[in-house]
Amino acid sequence: MADGRTDVVVTGLGATTPVGGDVASAWAALLAGRSGIGLIEEEWADGLPVRIAGRLRVEPTEVLDRVQARRLDRCQQIALVAAREAWADAGAPETDPERLAVVVGTGVGGVLSTLAQDEVRRTTGARRVSPYTVPMLMPNGPAAVVSMEFGARAGAHTPVSACASGAEAIAMGLDLIRLGRADVVIAGGAEACVHPLTIAGFAQAKALSTRNDAPEEASRPFDAARDGFVLGEGAALVVLERAEFAAARGARAYAALAGAGVTSDAYHITAGDPEGQMRAIRAALSSAGLSPLDIDHVHAHATSTPPGDVTEARSIAEAIGTHPAVTATKSMTGHMCGAAGAMGAISAILSIRDGVVPAVRNLDDLDPEVKLDVVMGGPRRGRVSAALANAFGFGGHNASLILTSP
């Protein structure tokens, strides 16, 4: 860059989600408006007030070696699945291990293993607890597993920033390359926490949709009749490279990661602060060297909660304006928590590549307080040169990414 910033490009994409087990199938589903939300079929859901979730379309055990999978928490399994896809998609870059880093964010990490192994201890005794319990439950487990898979020795990092984790991981990947600490970074997020405890907790907080009779219609970002989000699971990772390094090896670039902004609200443990969100968006613009008018598309965080969607809509309108085409793919995937921001970035990248923005599913009646150009009714075609992807999390975590055509 003329201003001295190091150019960073995205060369690989990987994902496993409720709408598809890889990037191609997930993207096709998003453009087709297909929902990945369904009833939870396990008996443990029978007594819960919310009995719907976004479960993975393809089980990780269908992809991973059986012995390897048994030693990993579900969150680690899906991080590895997505990382392998992203790495292969990037052409398996040959790089010095000490110039390869990993950043995989998560909201709660191996909570399924934590709860399952505590149940083993309680019912059958301490000697029956798996020797892999601690490696499975630790939040840095996904980053550790991915780093060992590819021999990354420039750092294995784990932002734990609730639902901003995946986007913050990508922002950290940008920083690692710009600071000269790595040439290649595998970055993104993973989450697998569909469990009676997490569902009960979110339900008690009145955060979840209760449309048990219509699962596919439950997640309704920006719709006037929205009543909460739908818990989902999944992983989304990208391969970031220093642009000169990627060019030297003849790599294809999907997009440039032009900028990122990360802020904290210091305001409320669950409610978002528009000021903090706007600061993140503006910091991303500054980092990218762009103006609000340069942004063609926004992938909104938009979880489908009554207060959250309006807060974000106001933040976008104030910081960017009302001109970009806005979408919210959680209407189809549900809220993948720590992976959501990374999946939003992948959606924005593919909008740049293909010149099309997915429509928001279940958006029948746009909330009058949402003063944005939200895509509804069907995908919208048109050139996307620059896109903003937002991710916000409990605790006042805000992360905004800006992707541009390469």
Side-chain angles (χ1 to χ4, degrees):
M1 279 187 170
D3 57 10
R5 281 191 291 261
T6 301
D7 287 335
V8 176
V9 293
V10 181
T11 59
L13 307 176
T16 181
T17 77
V19 295
D22 56 24
V23 169
S25 60
W27 181 236
L30 295 179
L31 292 178
R34 290 196 294 270
S35 174
I37 311 302
L39 282 171
I40 300 172
E41 298 179 355
E42 289 90 341
E43 290 184 5
W44 55 253
D46 292 348
L48 294 175
V50 174
R51 299 184 298 281
I52 56 176
R55 311 299 290 271
L56 291 175
R57 181 66 63 180
V58 177
E59 283 296 308
T61 49
E62 297 180 29
V63 181
L64 300 177
D65 174 77
R66 182 176 59 85
V67 174
Q68 182 183 36
R70 287 182 58 189
R71 298 177 178 179
L72 302 176
D73 178 78
R74 186 174 178 86
C75 185
Q76 297 168 359
Q77 292 173 0
I78 61 178
L80 187 55
V81 169
R84 285 178 176 175
E85 182 189 3
W87 190 252
D89 188 44
E94 292 187 12
T95 183
D96 179 351
E98 295 186 9
R99 301 292 297 167
L100 172 62
V102 167
V103 191
V104 183
T106 185
V108 292
V111 66
L112 297 185
S113 293
T114 301
L115 296 169
Q117 291 303 312
D118 189 57
E119 181 67 10
V120 170
R121 177 202 59 79
R122 188 183 67 81
T123 57
T124 63
R127 293 185 180 274
R128 302 295 294 178
V129 170
S130 169
Y132 298 103
T133 295
V134 173
M136 287 194 295
L137 66 83
M138 60 191 193
N140 63 306
V145 168
V146 172
S147 72
M148 288 184 283
E149 174 79 5
F150 301 104
R153 297 179 180 176
H157 305 278
T158 306
V160 180
S161 309
C163 304
S165 301
E168 188 168 328
I170 294 174
M172 186 174 185
L174 175 67
D175 286 344
L176 288 173
I177 294 174
R178 284 186 171 177
L179 289 170
R181 290 176 52 190
D183 293 318
V184 183
V185 181
I186 304 168
E191 202 78 86
C193 62
V194 178
H195 183 279
L197 179 62
T198 53
I199 291 176
F202 278 128
Q204 284 295 98
K206 308 299 182 184
L208 297 181
S209 171
T210 58
R211 295 175 185 262
N212 296 312
D213 57 339
E216 294 186 351
E217 300 174 12
S219 186
R220 315 177 65 85
F222 299 126
D223 189 78
R226 67 191 182 280
D227 69 329
F229 72 83
V230 177
L231 186 61
E233 59 182 354
L237 280 84
V238 301
V239 174
L240 306 175
E241 299 189 40
R242 183 167 54 84
E244 289 183 358
F245 181 87
R249 69 180 189 89
R252 167 215 52 210
Y254 283 102
L257 178 57
V262 177
T263 66
S264 55
D265 293 346
Y267 168 69
H268 191 276
I269 197 63
T270 57
D273 177 20
E275 179 58 33
Q277 295 176 6
M278 286 188 285
R279 286 192 298 111
I281 295 169
R282 288 167 175 156
L285 286 169
S286 177
S287 173
L290 297 179
S291 75
L293 290 176
D294 292 320
I295 303 301
D296 305 308
H297 165 49
V298 175
H299 187 286
H301 181 64
T303 63
S304 185
T305 61
D309 288 7
V310 169
T311 297
E312 183 181 11
R314 290 172 178 165
S315 299
I316 293 170
E318 180 67 23
I320 296 289
T322 59
H323 62 280
V326 178
T327 196
T329 57
K330 292 182 184 68
S331 58
M332 292 165 275
T333 64
H335 192 355
M336 300 193 303
C337 299
M343 190 61 207
I346 288 178
S347 177
I349 289 165
L350 294 174
S351 287
I352 290 170
R353 183 194 69 177
D354 295 345
V356 60
V357 175
V360 179
R361 182 185 168 93
N362 302 320
L363 182 49
D364 300 325
D365 182 16
L366 184 65
D367 188 321
E369 293 189 67
V370 175
K371 310 294 186 182
L372 299 174
D373 181 15
V374 182
V375 180
M376 51 194 300
R380 183 182 301 176
R381 297 199 171 273
R383 180 176 172 78
V384 177
S385 297
L388 168 75
N390 284 333
F392 309 129
F394 281 5
H397 302 278
N398 309 303
S400 295
L401 307 172
I402 291 182
L403 295 309
T404 62
S405 55

